[in-house]
Amino acid sequence: MDIQGNMIRSTIQGFSTSYLLYTACELGIFDALYQERRHVSLLAEELAIDEDILFRFMRPLVALKYVNEEKNYFNLLPLGERLAGQAKDSLKDFLLFTGRQAMPYWSKLCEAIKMNKIPYQLVEKQPYFQAQIQQNEKFEVFHNMMSKTSEQLQLDTYFAAKKDWHCIKTIIDIGGGSGEIIVKFLEYYRNAQGVVIDLQHVQQKAEEKLALYGFDSRCTFQAGDFFHAVPRSGDLYILSRILHDWEDEAAITILRNIAESMSENSALTIIEKILPEVIEGNASHLYMTDLNIWTMCGGKERTQSQFEALFHQSDLKIKALYPLKEDDYLIEIVKKDFEYQEGII
């Protein structure tokens, strides 16, 4: 058996598995089978798909253990349940975002590298985040994916180490989207009021989500642009998964604006992935994530030393580093001018 050849062929055809899952999601297969067994003929009728094509389409889903089949009846297995929109820990929005936005840009990877361009630029006419403002369909896909990802973020490690819940009065979430992250902080910092800062087109969704969570009395939305100014008077600032969207010069601009608004008692919490300082075989998914963020919008994932270089140029420094789940870290930052007692943990 050609083990190496089979491994290479499997990797080469990985794109087809991605398209298989994405298409199943777009067709509504996972949603239709969620907690309900279906005969192939009924499923085909409900989804308006040719029965023979549907059965052939379902076979690899069965082989890959996303779906179970018995006597032409199909039901979801645990992997398939994660791709149904009804699931609490659903990855449906991430899959739709990947299929609708990331995959077309990756198809231009070779051409873009040769031309020294971002793959996104060979597909779209507008900068990535400008398209989110002007094209509602793109905004919906991006927003749903980011909201679900933020909902699933676990900050237990950070909160378990903190003892200052009564000291924080004002929390400002910069680029906070519809508020999924700041809600987690407000639940811990029970005496605090919150402000979500983001572009105007996010306001309606943010206010709806804050009301849904029951935090509309403690948190407001304020339209703003972190490239121009950041509100003062924050005890705690949040910057969650923002810096990786931007190259270094833009990231430094964001950080400097925040630093100028921080007082000697303010802290900035940054949530990002951190790459290993040297290439590690078990970090291949992080390197692919780094390429993906560049392909999408020209951003980058960074090592700790690369983050430290950004902070140094922004008059900031690391106070503590908290590992979270799923390769995320919370980096606690203070202004460089002020001394602190804690070390990096």
Side-chain angles (χ1 to χ4, degrees), residues 31-43 46 72-75:
D31 289 341
L33 294 177
Y34 189 73
Q35 294 184 338
E36 193 160 356
R37 189 165 171 255
R38 287 281 202 282
H39 190 274
V40 64
S41 60
L42 179 59
L43 186 62
E46 289 181 353
N72 291 338
Y73 279 87
F74 294 100
N75 63 277

Side-chain angles (χ1 to χ4, degrees), residues 188-201:
Y188 177 77
Y189 293 108
R190 300 189 291 276
N191 294 342
Q193 296 288 314
V195 182
V196 174
I197 307 295
D198 213 315
L199 299 178
Q200 188 71 60
H201 71 286

Side-chain angles (χ1 to χ4, degrees), residues 85-279:
Q86 303 95 314
K88 181 181 179 181
D89 54 356
S90 173
L91 290 170
K92 177 182 179 179
D93 291 318
F94 177 71
L95 180 55
L96 288 175
F97 171 79
T98 299
R100 293 178 185 176
Q101 297 195 23
M103 288 179 183
Y105 308 146
W106 273 85
S107 70
K108 297 293 185 180
L109 184 62
C110 179
E111 184 179 355
I113 290 175
K114 288 181 177 181
M115 297 174 65
N116 194 27
K117 289 183 175 290
I118 301 168
Y120 174 87
Q121 295 172 331
L122 302 184
V123 179
E124 309 288 355
K125 296 180 180 179
Q126 298 174 299
Y128 183 79
F129 291 103
Q130 187 65 30
Q132 307 300 321
I133 299 174
Q134 298 187 4
Q135 300 179 42
N136 189 62
E137 182 181 347
K138 287 186 181 296
F139 169 66
E140 288 291 335
V141 173
F142 175 77
H143 169 79
N144 291 340
M145 181 274 296
M146 287 299 298
S147 293
K148 181 60 71 173
T149 301
S150 295
E151 286 175 5
Q152 295 171 352
L153 179 69
Q154 298 184 35
L155 297 172
D156 298 349
T157 304
Y158 169 71
F159 292 133
K162 304 301 290 182
K163 307 296 182 184
D164 62 344
W165 67 267
H166 57 288
C167 300
I168 302 299
K169 304 301 183 184
T170 304
I171 303 174
I172 300 176
D173 192 352
I174 303 163
S178 53
E180 286 83 5
I181 296 296
I182 198 171
V183 162
K184 298 176 186 294
F185 283 82
L186 291 171
E187 287 175 342
Y188 177 77
Y189 293 108
R190 300 189 291 276
N191 294 342
Q193 296 288 314
V195 182
V196 174
I197 307 295
D198 213 315
L199 299 178
Q200 188 71 60
H201 71 286
V202 182
Q203 181 169 359
Q204 181 178 347
K205 288 190 176 296
E207 291 177 346
E208 290 174 353
K209 189 61 69 74
L210 290 171
L212 179 65
Y213 285 133
F215 281 89
D216 49 326
S217 63
R218 290 180 56 200
C219 189
T220 59
F221 179 91
Q222 181 178 324
D225 184 341
F226 47 54
F227 283 117
H228 293 114
V230 171
R232 296 183 180 274
S233 304
D235 297 312
L236 182 63
Y237 290 86
I238 303 170
L239 198 62
S240 177
R241 296 169 172 142
I242 299 295
L243 295 180
H244 75 167
D245 291 330
W246 305 97
E247 42 76 32
D248 289 351
E249 184 177 350
I252 290 170
T253 298
I254 297 168
L255 290 168
R256 284 177 175 172
N257 286 338
I258 298 171
E260 288 176 3
S261 295
M262 293 172 64
S263 72
E264 60 180 298
N265 297 316
S266 298
L268 166 63
T269 58
I270 294 174
I271 298 172
E272 295 280 357
K273 298 186 184 302
I274 297 181
L275 298 179
E277 294 291 342
V278 296
I279 299 175

Side-chain angles (χ1 to χ4, degrees), residues 39-42 44-45 49-56 72:
H39 190 274
V40 64
S41 60
L42 179 59
E45 181 181 349
I49 301 172
D50 178 83
E51 183 176 333
D52 179 62
I53 292 296
L54 177 60
F55 188 83
R56 293 170 62 188
N72 291 338

